[in-house]
Amino acid sequence: MTTGRATPAEDACTDVPDACTGAPPTAALGGPAGHAVTRVARLHRIAAGKALKGVGLYPGQELLMTHLWDRGAVRQTELIRALELDPSTVTKMLQRLEQTGHVHRRPDPADRRAVLVEATDDSCALHTAVETAWGRLEERTLAGLDPAERDELVRLLSKVEENLCQETMDCPDRR
């Protein structure tokens, strides 16, 4: 949990002038909103990693599994596109998930060069555990916000997301 106060490392730098300009230090690169989004995203990623570790997954593996639970057997190339990850990263994720019995890979009968990936029946317990972990993370993330504030936060973050999609000209499917 963050207190909103600077860390000891940040405190140590508060009186040091900018090395390039000699100007007093700035509170945040680019502005307070960008800095806040960066801090929140970093902390949420750390909290999600801890929650997933509790169910035996690494960050990102839950997204791959969710794709399989939602769509059934898919080609490995579709997973790579859907997750927007490097093929070697997806391959490593699949190897780990296959070793733990959560996925099964097999040749695609329609094209023997392609590989189909599917969630195993044994992964159903994992599905429930992932949903529970993400639900708990959601509650901890939004603790202290009333329903109207939660709705407003989602509305504002959607606007920020749309701005960034336009800026990057890359707006992936919202999961």
Side-chain angles (χ1 to χ4, degrees):
M1 185 168 103
T2 164
T3 62
R5 293 188 302 242
T7 65
E10 291 168 332
D11 278 338
C13 295
T14 56
D15 295 327
V16 178
D18 183 289
C20 295
T21 66
T26 57
L29 268 178
H35 193 59
V37 168
T38 301
R39 286 191 327 269
V40 168
R42 179 182 163 277
L43 290 169
H44 191 269
R45 187 175 58 251
I46 291 168
K50 288 179 181 180
L52 291 169
K53 186 176 183 181
V55 299
L57 293 179
Y58 293 97
Q61 289 180 329
E62 84 285 7
L63 299 175
L64 184 151
M65 291 303 302
T66 298
H67 190 84
L68 295 177
W69 290 320
D70 290 347
R71 290 175 180 78
V74 298
R75 286 187 175 180
Q76 188 166 329
T77 53
E78 179 187 325
L79 278 174
I80 292 165
R81 271 193 312 276
L83 298 174
E84 297 179 327
L85 294 172
D86 185 82
S88 62
T89 301
V90 174
T91 298
K92 184 69 170 177
M93 290 169 78
L94 289 172
Q95 287 170 344
R96 285 180 172 168
L97 290 166
E98 198 168 35
Q99 288 170 355
T100 57
H102 298 308
V103 301
H104 174 73
R105 292 187 282 182
R106 60 185 164 85
D108 183 343
D111 180 355
R112 306 286 291 167
R113 297 169 298 170
V115 175
L116 284 179
V117 182
E118 60 190 333
T120 63
D121 291 339
D122 291 343
S123 75
C124 290
L126 180 66
H127 188 191
T128 302
V130 167
E131 286 181 340
T132 299
W134 272 100
R136 287 182 183 146
L137 177 59
E138 179 86 356
E139 284 307 311
R140 286 192 310 267
T141 299
L142 301 176
L145 299 178
D146 65 41
E149 290 171 321
R150 291 176 181 215
D151 290 345
E152 181 69 358
L153 177 61
V154 170
R155 187 185 72 74
L156 292 171
L157 287 173
S158 293
K159 279 185 148 182
V160 170
E161 179 183 19
E162 186 60 36
N163 292 342
L164 292 171
C165 286
Q166 289 177 14
E167 175 70 22
T168 62
M169 298 175 75
D170 180 23
C171 208
D173 293 342
R174 295 189 175 110
R175 294 167 181 86

